[in-house]
Amino acid sequence: MEKRNERQVILFPLPLQGCINPILQLAKILFSRGFSITIIHTRFNAPESSNHPLFTFLQIPDGLSETETQSRDVLLQLTLLNNNCENPFRECLAKLIKPNSDSGTEEGRISCLIDDSGWVFTQDVAESFSLPRFVLCAYKFSFFLGHLLVPQLRREGFLPFPDSEAEDLVPVFPPLRKKDLSRIMGTTAQSEPLDSYLHKILETTKPASGLIVMSCEELDQDSLATSNKVFTFPIFPIGPSHIHDVPASSSSLFEPDQSCIPWLDKHETRSVIYVSLGSIVTLSESEFLEIACGLRNTNQSFLWVVRPGSVHGKDWIESLPLGFMESLEGKGKIVRWAPQLDVLAHKATGGFLTHNGWNSTLESICEGVPMICLPFVWDQLLNARFITDVWRIGIHLEGRIERREIERAVIRLMAELEGEEIQERIQVLKDEDLCIIWIESFNGEE
């Protein structure tokens, strides 16, 4: 570990699992380069500070009620958090800055603030303290640029479209299809708050000191090349942050079931399909049963993450038919949460049925694990199109949660020539130089 350079970086994660992971991984990279790390975070979905004993964690109130924390309306949660957190954040930052300014020394001086693009008040706060702000983009960069066009597309009457055009590409948002775009843009009732929020993201990102992107040239070449049409500041594509040589520690909001690994140890190379739909996706009971029956019918070994409460109206897996697990004869294991990086890196894992969040997508590529794509919302839809239509390293279920479709996709990936060809292509992509280090020259100043 390098010596502390007595410079401090403040990081402020958005309290969603997909946003907490990359910002804590970035914190570990910065710490390994000598920076002191302070994490300001909300009470809602607070990261586990004991997993990061070398960081300073400061919690601020977020004003969310118990009902609001349980809401499935993520846009509502983000709106409330932005409304409620500005003053507590400002007060917390002021307490950190004042002792350093009073001392008049370099020791402990704050280099910059790094926060998620979903915080839309932090630019004004940073400017009030003359503090450089760097924005972390937790999405694939092409999605980040594209999703800012949603208000414009809505104004131009891009939706609705005839059924005959559902498979057509969206010219300004490739390789997205029109049917995908309709899911991203949401319902008419959601249009005004979503468009307003996206406009604020754009307007509060433009004045920042830079944008840190969890991607690289190999995965985002076109969008990185054209980014100067939107932003005038530097963009730092640092690659998949989890593969940097830094000490491992968990940033999961859920407790992983470590019994996954000895279970995988008993299986042959690339013989297990790993199934996880992330930290937000919820299923109806019928969808849950279709996945269960589809996996069972493959006669393929599977490790399935079923998050408690992820099936509507159920605590966990009590909807499974009587004798279901016994009928698998040891070929299936269901857990509440898994140590995903370890699972994907395990030699027994041969495929990943995923919701295609950007973190999961990057982790799968970096471990050379081909994917079956079942995207539900937001950037997952674009990520899945890149996986299947551009990089050709997976199979798309096209939203069909049906046992025969799932059975067929798993068999195609795990037991047929098509799967071998997909495996070869993802291995080529894995072997690309996906890691672009910028920290060595980073000093957090304009």
Side-chain angles (χ1 to χ4, degrees):
M1 186 68 67
E2 297 182 12
K3 183 182 182 295
R4 304 292 99 212
N5 63 17
E6 305 305 338
R7 302 288 295 281
Q8 184 180 180
V9 176
I10 309 295
L11 298 102
F12 185 35
L14 206 63
L16 302 174
Q17 182 71 80
C19 301
I20 292 171
N21 283 350
I23 211 163
L24 287 178
Q25 289 161 355
L26 176 60
K28 287 186 283 187
I29 297 169
L30 288 165
F31 184 84
S32 73
R33 302 307 194 271
F35 288 89
S36 297
I37 301 297
T38 297
I39 309 287
I40 301 176
H41 64 88
T42 59
R43 177 188 59 85
F44 174 55
N45 282 347
E48 183 54 63
S49 59
S50 62
N51 290 334
H52 309 275
L54 299 177
F55 300 169
T56 298
F57 286 81
L58 300 174
Q59 180 172 292
I60 62 172
D62 52 50
L64 294 187
S65 67
E66 186 65 27
T67 301
E68 289 163 347
T69 64
Q70 299 300 318
S71 173
R72 294 193 181 99
D73 188 340
V74 176
L75 179 59
L76 172 63
Q77 288 179 333
L78 295 181
T79 301
L80 292 170
L81 285 165
N82 273 284
N83 290 341
N84 298 344
C85 290
E86 180 172 358
N87 287 337
F89 179 77
R90 183 185 295 275
E91 292 168 4
C92 184
L93 201 55
K95 290 177 182 177
L96 289 170
I97 289 172
K98 191 174 188 302
N100 296 317
S101 59
D102 288 348
S103 69
T105 67
E106 287 290 306
E107 184 174 346
R109 189 160 72 88
I110 298 173
S111 296
C112 68
L113 167 68
I114 301 175
D115 65 74
D116 193 279
S117 60
W119 289 120
V120 296
F121 63 80
T122 49
Q123 183 63 36
D124 285 345
V125 174
E127 288 175 357
S128 71
F129 290 110
S130 300
L131 188 65
R133 174 194 178 221
F134 288 81
V135 177
L136 178 68
C137 170
Y139 305 127
K140 188 179 188 301
F141 189 52
S142 56
F143 180 83
F144 182 76
L145 290 181
H147 88 303
L148 297 174
L149 297 174
V150 165
Q152 174 189 331
L153 292 172
R154 206 186 306 273
R155 288 194 303 271
E156 294 174 354
F158 202 84
L159 297 178
F161 52 83
D163 290 343
S164 60
E165 296 180 6
E167 300 294 336
D168 291 357
L169 294 174
V170 182
V172 296
F173 210 160
L176 210 63
R177 302 184 187 184
K178 288 187 177 180
K179 64 180 183 182
D180 305 324
L181 183 63
S182 65
R183 294 172 68 184
I184 288 174
M185 291 177 70
T187 64
T188 302
Q190 295 170 318
S191 62
E192 186 175 339
L194 176 60
D195 290 0
S196 174
Y197 184 54
L198 293 176
H199 177 73
K200 289 176 183 175
I201 289 175
L202 177 61
E203 293 307 306
T204 56
T205 299
K206 282 181 176 180
S209 298
L211 189 64
I212 303 167
V213 181
M214 297 298 185
S215 193
C216 52
E217 293 285 351
E218 290 78 7
L219 301 179
D220 257 319
Q221 184 174 7
D222 291 345
S223 53
L224 287 169
T226 61
S227 61
N228 59 358
K229 296 179 181 178
V230 182
F231 300 115
T232 58
F233 50 52
I235 294 177
F236 304 99
I238 69 170
S241 61
H242 71 278
I243 64 173
H244 290 255
D245 185 21
V246 294
S249 58
S250 174
S251 55
S252 175
L253 294 172
F254 309 99
E255 183 64 32
D257 186 337
Q258 299 296 337
S259 69
C260 296
I261 305 307
W263 185 83
L264 286 169
D265 290 342
K266 300 174 183 177
H267 290 78
E268 296 181 0
T269 299
R270 294 180 183 166
S271 65
V272 176
I273 181 80
Y274 171 54
V275 184
S276 178
L277 300 179
S279 61
I280 294 177
V281 167
T282 57
L283 300 169
S284 67
E285 184 177 10
S286 61
E287 289 171 333
F288 169 72
L289 291 174
E290 288 297 305
I291 294 174
C293 293
L295 292 172
R296 179 189 60 192
N297 294 347
T298 65
N299 200 33
Q300 194 84 36
S301 297
F302 64 85
L303 172 61
W304 185 10
V305 174
V306 181
R307 198 180 72 253
S310 62
V311 181
H312 296 319
K314 303 296 177 182
D315 291 331
W316 192 38
I317 60 172
E318 60 269 27
S319 297
L320 288 176
L322 188 65
F324 178 86
M325 294 304 297
E326 291 78 8
S327 71
L328 300 174
E329 298 180 344
K331 287 192 172 183
K333 181 176 179 64
I334 302 178
V335 296
R336 289 172 170 81
W337 199 248
Q340 182 160 290
L341 284 172
D342 295 334
V343 169
L344 290 172
H346 199 286
K347 65 180 181 61
T349 304
F352 183 12
L353 199 167
T354 172
H355 65 303
N356 297 117
W358 187 232
N359 290 328
S360 292
T361 298
L362 282 178
E363 290 163 7
S364 203
I365 292 172
C366 290
E367 298 301 339
V369 178
M371 286 163 271
I372 297 173
C373 301
L374 186 57
F376 286 79
V377 295
W378 211 227
D379 64 317
Q380 300 167 13
L381 297 150
L382 183 71
N383 298 338
R385 290 297 168 205
F386 271 93
I387 289 164
T388 58
D389 299 357
V390 179
W391 304 322
R392 299 168 60 221
I393 55 173
I395 295 170
H396 206 309
L397 284 170
E398 299 292 350
R400 296 186 293 266
I401 308 180
E402 303 165 9
R403 64 188 69 188
R404 290 180 181 176
E405 295 289 343
I406 291 165
E407 176 187 357
R408 182 68 187 131
V410 171
I411 291 173
R412 285 168 60 193
L413 188 69
M414 301 290 288
E416 295 184 355
L417 177 61
E418 180 183 8
E420 294 178 12
E421 293 170 345
I422 289 173
Q423 177 64 55
E424 290 174 1
R425 286 192 290 269
I426 197 169
Q427 192 62 47
V428 170
L429 189 58
K430 172 191 173 183
D431 292 342
E432 295 281 355
D433 182 14
L434 298 181
C435 221
I436 302 175
I437 303 291
W438 65 286
I439 309 294
E440 283 77 1
S441 60
F442 170 73
N443 63 14
E445 296 186 40
E446 302 263 28

